[in-house]
Amino acid sequence: MNNTISKNLKRLRISKHFTQEQAAEYLGVSAQSISRWECGNTLPDILMLPKIAELYCVTVDELYKDTSVAYANYAQRLAAVYESTKEPEDFIRADLEFRRLIKKRDFSTEDLRLYGILHHFMMLYCTDKAIELFDKVIEKGTNEDENIFWQTKRQKILLYSQIGKGRESINSALKSVDKNSECAEEWICLIEAYRYNKEEKRAYDCFLKAVKKFPENAILYVYGGDICKDLKRYHEAFSYWDKALFLDNSLYDAKYSMGFCYEELGEYQKAYDIWYEIANELKAGGYENESKYPLKSAEKCKKKLNIQE
């Protein structure tokens, strides 16, 4: 007979402040069965172990360990597992359990604190993983896929600005422009590095220099428009977005920027029109999932128009 599991069943029950009758009711057995298990006269059926583990907020394996601890709830147990392993799969398990608690409104302030810590650890993991993957793409250079290379470089600049490394991105972009001043994409990276670091005036000055060198670069005008929106130079912003679309009518970035700006200005009819236009174009191109966001944005603007009326 396994004395460890018998001792654990009694110890865990007591630590959870359950009577034998309460444990029996939850497990659907008699109080006498609980007593026999805890005395070591019999052991629960193996199929019963997962439900027992759930009741005492431990794993099945821990029922056989001398050092098992009864947590306040199963979410806290899974949080402890993730804190130990830092494995994404364990984060997902804990996250789902905390969500269940919150949905049931059966949580404590300690649960919220641990849930926050859970996301804190996962944020650090995700940040490191994102940088690692971006660097792998950037290391491959422009030979494999030039468009993906520059998109990744700009995404890393955005990430660095969000984690307090904006100045590092600016210094790196300045060096790149000095080495390759005839590359429009390097200028765009510098513009974005300034903009993401909330240095809009420097970003604007950089844009003006770049647009003189590359007057036919459509995407450059998109970023110029975005900077002007940040500076609340709205008329100028729309002129640059219009220029971008004149050079390349397929530039959704310009249309998205216009939609956001119209909303910011409270011009919901114009915002509705452009969101609806984007959604229809995406649907026509077979991008059904991608069309959902602009369609939702259009419906949001429509509701605001109805409220105004």
Side-chain angles (χ1 to χ4, degrees):
M1 201 67 67
N2 191 320
N3 289 328
T4 299
I5 189 171
S6 298
K7 291 178 181 177
N8 278 339
L9 290 176
K10 183 175 183 179
R11 181 173 56 79
L12 293 170
R13 176 181 61 77
I14 292 173
S15 69
K16 295 289 286 183
H17 306 292
F18 295 151
T19 64
Q20 288 186 340
E21 288 75 16
Q22 288 171 328
E25 183 179 356
Y26 179 87
L27 297 172
V29 298
S30 67
Q32 289 76 15
S33 293
I34 300 293
S35 178
R36 286 195 294 270
W37 295 346
E38 293 180 358
C39 291
N41 296 327
T42 62
L43 288 178
D45 186 279
I46 192 169
L47 297 178
M48 180 69 70
L49 295 181
K51 195 168 184 179
I52 295 173
E54 181 180 334
L55 174 63
Y56 296 141
C57 300
V58 296
T59 64
V60 171
D61 288 346
E62 287 172 324
L63 292 174
Y64 294 90
K65 295 179 180 178
D66 292 327
T67 56
S68 56
V69 175
Y71 288 80
N73 53 53
Y74 197 50
Q76 289 190 16
R77 175 69 192 94
L78 293 178
V81 171
Y82 173 66
E83 187 174 354
S84 172
T85 67
K86 298 298 192 298
E87 292 294 333
E89 295 80 4
D90 291 326
F91 168 83
I92 292 170
R93 291 172 62 208
D95 180 49
L96 289 172
E97 188 62 22
F98 274 112
R99 285 194 210 176
R100 187 184 67 81
L101 280 184
I102 291 171
K103 187 175 182 180
K104 290 173 59 181
R105 298 185 179 277
D106 184 24
F107 58 89
S108 65
T109 52
E110 174 64 1
D111 291 326
L112 296 179
R113 186 185 75 87
L114 290 173
Y115 196 24
I117 290 173
L118 190 79
H119 281 278
H120 184 183
F121 287 152
M122 193 59 184
M123 177 198 70
L124 296 175
Y125 168 85
C126 290
T127 298
D128 290 342
K129 178 58 69 173
I131 292 171
E132 175 191 333
L133 296 172
F134 291 158
D135 284 343
K136 285 182 178 179
V137 175
I138 293 169
E139 285 168 11
K140 290 181 177 293
T142 58
N143 293 330
E144 187 167 324
D145 190 319
E146 185 173 1
N147 187 45
I148 293 295
F149 171 84
W150 292 112
Q151 285 181 353
T152 304
K153 198 167 183 180
R154 290 195 294 270
Q155 192 69 36
K156 184 180 177 182
I157 290 171
L158 172 59
L159 175 58
Y160 265 40
S161 71
Q162 292 171 333
I163 61 175
K165 293 186 175 182
R167 179 50 53 182
E168 186 175 330
S169 287
I170 291 171
N171 292 338
S172 176
L174 281 168
K175 290 178 182 177
S176 295
V177 167
D178 286 341
K179 290 180 181 177
N180 193 5
S181 63
E182 297 307 311
C183 176
E185 289 289 352
E186 295 289 13
W187 283 88
I188 289 171
C189 286
L190 177 57
I191 291 167
E192 285 298 86
Y194 278 131
R195 180 170 176 251
Y196 289 145
N197 206 45
K198 306 299 182 184
E199 298 183 39
E200 292 89 353
K201 186 61 173 64
R202 287 181 181 273
Y204 180 71
D205 292 341
C206 188
F207 162 71
L208 293 179
K209 292 177 183 177
V211 83
K212 286 182 180 179
K213 293 176 70 70
F214 314 101
E216 300 302 312
N217 187 294
I219 192 68
L220 186 58
Y221 288 97
V222 176
Y223 290 109
D226 291 346
I227 296 162
C228 288
K229 181 176 87 67
D230 294 341
L231 293 169
K232 302 191 183 305
R233 301 167 72 157
Y234 298 114
H235 180 75
E236 196 174 350
F238 281 105
S239 71
Y240 287 134
W241 291 326
D242 286 337
K243 179 68 173 180
L245 291 170
F246 174 77
L247 293 170
D248 184 353
N249 192 48
S250 67
L251 272 177
Y252 284 108
D253 287 350
K255 295 180 181 180
Y256 273 92
S257 292
M258 293 170 81
F260 289 126
C261 192
Y262 280 133
E263 283 194 51
E264 184 176 309
L265 294 171
E267 297 186 33
Y268 297 115
Q269 183 61 58
K270 291 181 179 179
Y272 170 83
D273 292 341
I274 199 161
W275 287 130
Y276 199 70
E277 177 186 326
I278 294 170
N280 283 338
E281 288 177 359
L282 288 169
K283 280 185 179 179
Y287 296 102
E288 190 69 31
N289 287 327
E290 288 81 353
S291 71
K292 291 179 181 178
Y293 179 82
L295 195 58
K296 285 181 181 178
S297 297
E299 290 302 316
K300 182 177 69 175
C301 291
K302 187 176 181 180
K303 288 179 181 178
K304 289 185 177 181
L305 283 169
N306 291 334
I307 291 171
Q308 287 177 349
E309 291 173 1

